[in-house]
Amino acid sequence: MTARALPLLADGDDGRRPARSGQGNVTDGNATFPKSAGLIQIREKIGALSLLDQKVLACMLFYANDEITDPMAVHELNLAEVRAYLGEHESNDRVREGLDNLSQIRVDFDVLGEEGRKFAYGAFVNVSGHEVGQGGKARYQFHHELRPLLREPAKWARVSLAILQGFQSKYAARLYENLELYANRRVPEWRIGVEDLRTCLGADGVLPGWGQLWRRALRPALEEVNARADFHAEIEVSHKTGRRVDTVVFRITKSEARAVRENAGTRAKRRREGRVVLRPETFERARRIAPGADIALIERDWRQWMRTQGKASPASPDAAFLGFVKAWYRRNRDAFV
């Protein structure tokens, strides 16, 4: 299972490396970080990522995000913050357990190199931590040859630490991250073969056959993801060979709250860039004002008119556009009667 085999260029991606969000602490409910497709779709060769390991790794990626491409960077983890994120209150034992496991697990990143060769990497994180009481810190580094893959700008998912925190199953955590890779695509669906899906869930070598994979891993994971994530996913068995399931398709629908939040964020970004952005409901009102007219053409005329008049972005672009629609329709009403 490879990032190369499953190209995931984000729609509209501009090549810039994405940033983390939140106030810089993993316990912040708004904390998110970009996780590369290559790291989401790794294959464990020695050892296996437990749910604890996945959550500790998420914290490590969050804190390392701003310097993750620097081959000399040594990152620092505040053990008390990670302990609070994991819900541990007494000691750092569970945090240390996750760090120890991560430093011993061997994983494959299948990446095309020169002349089409594949490169498979072993341990990808080195932990050289030290503690001082309850305020201890751990230091860690990622393998320098892997850093570009850990921060690939075109192939990543924005992982919410708050959503990840609530999962009780490692399969649910893996499924959530894989589905998040596709949630923002123009066609938000994930089509994948069963054996590749098994790898993505971290179920290689266990749960043989579709029946066991479905009953013991995939179905409960899907139920947990739909209960906790800010999207809903439905699964469809797409192809069969005889009675054998070969391929499945996940179709993803964002929650209304997420759609509103992301739309508001896009509008705010475009306003900062000096671009005039209209609300979706403005177009509905425009259709009622000018029944039968092509609102997209009217919008084009409005933007062209603003450019020719040398007008800056109006303080209330929605009201300005609706005023233009009213005037346009008065002039052209006879064509629609």
Side-chain angles (χ1 to χ4, degrees):
M1 178 53 47
T2 70
R4 175 186 57 78
L6 296 173
L8 298 169
L9 181 63
D11 294 322
D13 182 81
D14 58 6
R16 292 179 295 181
R17 293 189 179 97
R20 69 184 188 183
S21 68
Q23 300 302 313
N25 189 305
V26 292
T27 58
D28 177 4
N30 295 316
T32 70
F33 69 95
K35 187 171 183 180
S36 73
L39 188 52
I40 289 174
Q41 296 181 335
I42 58 174
R43 176 187 292 111
E44 296 103 315
K45 300 298 287 184
I46 299 177
L49 288 166
S50 68
L51 179 62
L52 172 68
D53 299 336
Q54 292 175 62
K55 291 181 178 181
V56 173
L57 177 59
C59 295
M60 297 170 79
L61 291 168
F62 176 81
Y63 286 120
N65 186 76
D66 294 342
E67 299 178 316
I68 206 165
T69 56
D70 181 352
M72 304 303 294
V74 177
H75 312 294
E76 198 170 71
L77 202 66
N78 185 305
L79 300 183
E81 292 177 1
V82 180
R83 187 175 72 241
Y85 176 74
L86 297 175
E88 302 290 333
H89 304 289
E90 300 301 326
S91 72
N92 292 326
D93 290 348
R94 293 272 287 164
V95 183
R96 288 200 303 268
E97 178 187 340
L99 293 172
D100 289 343
N101 290 343
L102 287 168
S103 65
Q104 297 175 43
I105 290 172
R106 301 294 187 268
V107 299
D108 271 1
F109 286 80
D110 296 339
V111 182
L112 283 179
E114 296 178 3
E115 301 175 358
R117 293 196 305 268
K118 287 186 188 178
F119 292 91
Y121 298 91
F124 63 95
V125 60
N126 174 49
V127 180
S128 56
H130 68 278
E131 292 182 59
V132 180
Q134 292 296 304
K137 299 181 184 299
R139 294 195 177 101
Y140 59 99
Q141 288 179 293
F142 293 104
H143 194 291
H144 69 279
E145 292 185 22
L146 286 183
R147 287 179 181 269
L149 303 177
L150 298 179
R151 190 70 183 278
E152 226 177 332
K155 303 172 185 175
W156 57 277
R158 182 161 295 283
V159 175
S160 163
L161 283 165
I163 291 175
L164 188 66
Q165 182 183 35
F167 288 125
Q168 302 298 310
S169 159
K170 70 172 187 178
Y171 298 127
R174 293 282 285 262
L175 180 62
Y176 160 67
E177 292 183 351
N178 276 280
L179 291 174
E180 190 61 65
L181 283 169
Y182 293 84
N184 284 323
R185 301 188 78 181
R186 288 190 179 91
V187 179
E189 66 178 41
W190 180 29
R191 183 181 298 270
I192 186 169
V194 170
E195 293 310 309
D196 285 342
L197 175 62
R198 190 186 302 277
T199 297
C200 285
L201 293 179
D204 279 337
V206 298
L207 308 180
W210 168 256
Q212 287 199 48
L213 180 68
W214 169 248
R215 290 191 301 272
R216 297 177 57 186
L218 186 53
R219 180 170 63 186
L222 187 60
E223 291 173 353
E224 193 172 353
V225 167
N226 283 335
R228 297 184 182 278
D230 53 4
F231 58 77
H232 181 87
E234 295 183 352
I235 186 172
E236 175 186 333
V237 176
S238 180
H239 300 290
K240 294 182 179 180
T241 301
R243 298 183 63 183
R244 179 182 176 185
V245 177
D246 288 333
T247 308
V248 297
V249 180
F250 296 88
R251 294 188 173 86
I252 306 158
T253 305
K254 297 179 186 178
S255 69
E256 183 177 352
R258 172 172 173 169
V260 169
R261 182 180 70 246
E262 291 181 348
N263 185 54
T266 299
R267 292 201 309 273
K269 178 182 177 182
R270 290 177 178 172
R271 287 194 185 99
R272 289 194 298 271
E273 295 170 348
R275 299 164 63 187
V276 177
V277 184
L278 300 174
R279 297 176 181 275
E281 54 267 29
T282 298
F283 293 98
E284 293 300 322
R285 293 182 62 185
R287 291 185 184 95
R288 292 194 294 270
I289 292 171
D294 189 330
I295 300 303
L297 291 178
I298 299 177
E299 181 194 7
R300 185 195 63 187
D301 291 346
W302 175 62
R303 293 181 184 277
Q304 179 64 30
W305 175 78
M306 285 197 298
R307 285 194 294 270
T308 58
Q309 297 296 316
K311 292 184 176 293
S313 174
S316 301
D318 298 280
F321 174 63
L322 292 175
F324 183 88
V325 173
K326 290 177 183 177
W328 185 96
Y329 194 69
R330 282 197 300 268
R331 294 194 303 270
N332 298 278
R333 186 192 309 246
D334 293 344
F336 300 94
V337 175

